[in-house]
Amino acid sequence: MSTPLPHSASTRSELAPVEFAYWVPNVSGGLVVSNLPQRTSHEPAYNIETARAAEKAGFTYALSQVRYAASYGADAQHESTSFSLALLLATEKLKVIAAVHPYFWPPAVLAKWAATAQALTGDRLCLNVVSGWFKKEALDLGATWLEHDERYEQSEEFIQILRGAWTTDHFAFQGKHFQVGDLNFRPQPDVLPEVFQGGNSTAARQMAGRVSDWYFMNGNTPEGVAEQVAQVGGYAAENGRTIKFGLNAFAVVRETEAEAVEVLDAIIANADADKVNDFGNAVKEAGQASKDGKGMWADSEFKDLVQYNDGFRTGLIGTPEQVARRVLAFRLIGVDLVLLGFLHVKEEIEAFGETVIPRVRELEAELAALPEGTDPVAHLGLTEELASAIEVLGRPGAVVPV
């Protein structure tokens, strides 16, 4: 017996196509904390080639990481905003998300930089406002470190100033963390940069519902993702808004499932234990500092932390067919964008574009052609896999943006 998803698109088969993004390796060490060889480079030339390959492969977005000092295997790093601009200027359609910390930027200055970047790149810049966990880096660079929930207050004010400067003449703002007065930007951007954020705590989720365009989730199971989609979607609805959802994942796609699992096992078996544990101690301290103890990484295990953002948890490990169906499973419970990491970034992006994305598009077309009222979950054979997630989404107060 099928159990339809508790939102109208599940019976009309009108879900918009899922989009794909990739982590830009602008820091050294690749995207896993492992001594297994990675054919990946943080150098600009490699990244420009990768961005062009991703654009051709069907990726819509790329996310540049923000790191200013050596840490946990990332011994060398390129600054995210300048690196993002270089990738934008080297591509034609790809949107690049530059990660920024509010405690390192005057918001009006970044707003002006972003407005100029929009004019230079055909309106393809996005921003990921990162409230931060790396206390030592912030203090070493001279920033003031706030407590967990205060950092999200700071980020919310930061976003309010960005949008005000981009849209309002004589804009002024007097907040707890930032103040600006009588701003007049010329030119204002024709298209506002999309604003992303992450964070798992209640403070982060409520902030996303109030001000952000996109909410990034760490890797998770369908049930865990559904819980976040339902709650953050509800917070957005309370504020008269809608929000989109991005999900972190690490993809290992091979001809057979056994080959893919073997690669994953080798990554974890070759993990740099000291660096993983040091990273885990730092981020868990930050996550548990939230009032509800539910911040990022609060319940991550060693194997989860081998990939910085719990990417293994999402389960994109297997054949192209298995991974494509898993992507559709997450799309059906509200995920709009899958943010991917890879072991060998450029070559695996190309392979993903050749084998997985076309199959995802075929399955989406198949769902769109279903007769009215047909359950897409049952049609794709995902009823058991999504049973717990569907239960979460069916609870009172759950809101699934469509």
Side-chain angles (χ1 to χ4, degrees), residues 86-395:
L87 298 184
L88 286 163
L89 294 173
T91 54
E92 297 178 355
K93 297 180 294 181
L94 189 71
K95 298 179 182 179
V96 182
I97 311 163
V100 295
H101 288 120
Y103 44 79
F104 287 142
W105 283 92
V109 173
L110 182 69
K112 187 62 179 177
W113 177 87
T116 300
Q118 287 294 74
L120 290 170
T121 66
D123 300 316
R124 291 183 290 123
L125 172 75
C126 309
L127 295 172
N128 183 30
V129 177
V130 181
S131 297
W133 59 266
F134 197 2
K135 180 177 180 179
K136 182 180 185 305
E137 180 187 66
L139 296 177
D140 286 349
L141 271 70
T144 299
W145 186 253
L146 303 174
E147 293 304 313
H148 180 276
D149 286 12
E150 285 187 296
R151 295 199 301 278
Y152 283 94
E153 292 176 0
Q154 183 183 50
S155 293
E156 184 165 347
E157 290 186 10
F158 192 84
I159 293 170
Q160 290 173 314
I161 292 172
L162 293 178
R163 291 223 181 88
W166 290 332
T167 62
T168 307
D169 288 341
H170 302 290
F171 177 71
F173 184 92
Q174 295 293 317
K176 177 179 177 181
H177 304 284
F178 298 110
Q179 298 81 38
V180 297
D182 199 25
L183 292 180
N184 282 292
F185 274 9
R186 294 293 183 273
Q188 291 174 333
D190 294 327
V191 176
L192 302 192
E194 295 170 84
V195 176
F196 292 70
Q197 73 154 97
N200 191 57
S201 64
T202 299
R205 298 181 188 203
Q206 291 176 334
M207 172 192 154
R210 288 191 294 266
V211 298
S212 296
D213 299 313
W214 288 84
Y215 176 66
F216 268 141
M217 298 175 283
N218 266 14
N220 212 329
T221 62
E223 182 180 3
V225 169
E227 188 270 332
Q228 291 181 77
V229 166
Q231 187 174 63
V232 176
Y235 288 141
E238 289 173 4
N239 288 278
R241 307 177 66 248
T242 58
I243 190 167
K244 292 184 176 182
F245 294 88
L247 173 65
N248 185 64
F250 191 88
V252 182
V253 185
R254 298 295 187 269
E255 290 186 8
T256 69
E257 182 180 9
E259 288 177 284
V261 171
E262 184 178 358
V263 172
L264 176 62
D265 289 345
I267 292 170
I268 296 171
N270 287 276
D272 188 321
D274 289 341
K275 290 177 180 177
V276 173
N277 287 325
D278 286 347
F279 173 71
N281 290 335
V283 296
K284 285 187 176 185
E285 180 182 352
Q288 292 164 354
S290 60
K291 290 180 179 178
D292 52 15
K294 292 166 54 179
M296 300 277 274
W297 303 283
D299 62 349
S300 299
E301 300 177 6
F302 178 91
K303 65 180 180 179
D304 302 320
L305 296 166
V306 176
Q307 204 284 317
Y308 291 115
N309 287 80
D310 294 337
F312 301 151
R313 283 186 173 187
T314 305
L316 300 191
I317 313 295
T319 66
E321 179 70 20
Q322 289 173 313
V323 171
R325 287 180 178 271
R326 183 75 167 177
V327 167
L328 261 294
F330 283 110
R331 180 66 191 103
L332 287 168
I333 58 174
V335 172
D336 301 281
L337 173 73
V338 181
L339 172 61
L340 293 161
F342 300 95
L343 184 65
H344 311 302
V345 175
K346 178 177 179 291
E347 60 200 72
E348 295 199 42
I349 280 175
E350 292 171 329
F352 196 91
E354 291 172 1
T355 62
V356 179
I357 294 179
R359 184 57 181 144
V360 170
R361 300 304 177 221
E362 289 173 358
L363 290 171
E364 289 172 335
E366 191 177 301
L367 293 183
L370 292 175
E372 184 79 15
T374 303
D375 177 11
V377 175
H379 179 81
L380 292 175
L382 298 170
T383 302
E384 183 176 349
E385 183 175 342
L386 292 182
S388 296
I390 290 168
E391 181 183 349
V392 169
L393 295 175
R395 293 171 185 166

Side-chain angles (χ1 to χ4, degrees), residues 30-44:
L31 299 176
V32 288
V33 190
S34 177
N35 295 315
L36 195 70
Q38 301 180 60
R39 295 188 292 276
T40 295
S41 171
H42 68 288
E43 295 297 342

Side-chain angles (χ1 to χ4, degrees), residues 47-63:
N47 274 280
I48 287 172
E49 291 177 3
T50 300
R52 289 171 174 163
E55 183 175 66
K56 185 177 179 181
F59 285 72
T60 310
Y61 295 86
L63 172 61

